[in-house]
Amino acid sequence: QVQLVESGGGSVQAGGSLRLSCVASGFPVSKYGMAWFRQAPGKEREGVARIDSTGLTIYADSKKGRFTISRDNAKNTLYLQMNSLNPEDTAMYYCARSPLRFCSLRTSDFNYWGQGTQVTVSS
């Protein structure tokens, strides 16, 4: 059974950092495309970053240089390091798994989702 459990969210001041974790079970994270998405109130869910089975990463334009996606195969865990946070980064952050080894950052490419972890950035 595929499960994704996120943690690491919280409240931070602008300019601060957070590291989100997503512990996966039921499959090896190294074999699938994995990603982080976020959704702010009243807005559509948007892709943040993706890592494919080879370790290749892509980022949404506004996150390049501030966010880093990575995984620990031994811990079967996906991470999102977020630096220089600003209030516009406030959202629920979701971990997701694609049925594909190689995929885009479109929500339609992912079929398993975690419950999310809330990130709130104050000015």
Side-chain angles (χ1 to χ4, degrees):
Q1 182 182 359
V2 173
Q3 283 194 318
L4 301 169
V5 180
E6 302 98 332
S7 63
S11 297
V12 295
Q13 297 269 358
S17 299
L18 283 173
R19 188 177 81 153
L20 306 183
S21 299
C22 172
V23 177
S25 58
F27 71 98
V29 295
S30 61
K31 298 293 188 184
Y32 295 88
M34 300 289 297
W36 288 96
F37 289 79
R38 69 185 188 185
Q39 187 167 18
K43 294 187 177 181
E44 291 188 356
R45 191 168 296 190
E46 64 172 354
V48 174
R50 180 231 72 198
I51 183 167
D52 71 18
S53 60
T54 68
L56 185 66
T57 59
I58 59 172
Y59 296 88
D61 286 344
S62 65
K63 290 72 174 178
K64 288 179 182 176
R66 296 193 302 125
F67 291 8
T68 303
I69 188 172
S70 63
R71 66 179 184 227
D72 184 326
N73 295 339
K75 294 183 179 179
N76 216 36
T77 300
L78 183 73
Y79 300 101
L80 184 68
Q81 177 67 45
M82 304 186 294
N83 299 325
S84 301
L85 286 163
N86 58 64
E88 290 69 38
D89 295 316
T90 294
M92 185 72 79
Y93 284 72
Y94 297 91
C95 170
R97 195 207 88 170
S98 174
L100 308 171
R101 296 174 67 92
F102 312 102
C103 59
S104 72
L105 196 48
R106 294 189 302 264
T107 55
S108 57
D109 273 8
F110 295 83
N111 60 346
Y112 287 102
W113 298 82
Q115 293 299 305
T117 185
Q118 178 67 40
V119 172
T120 303
V121 185
S122 57
S123 57

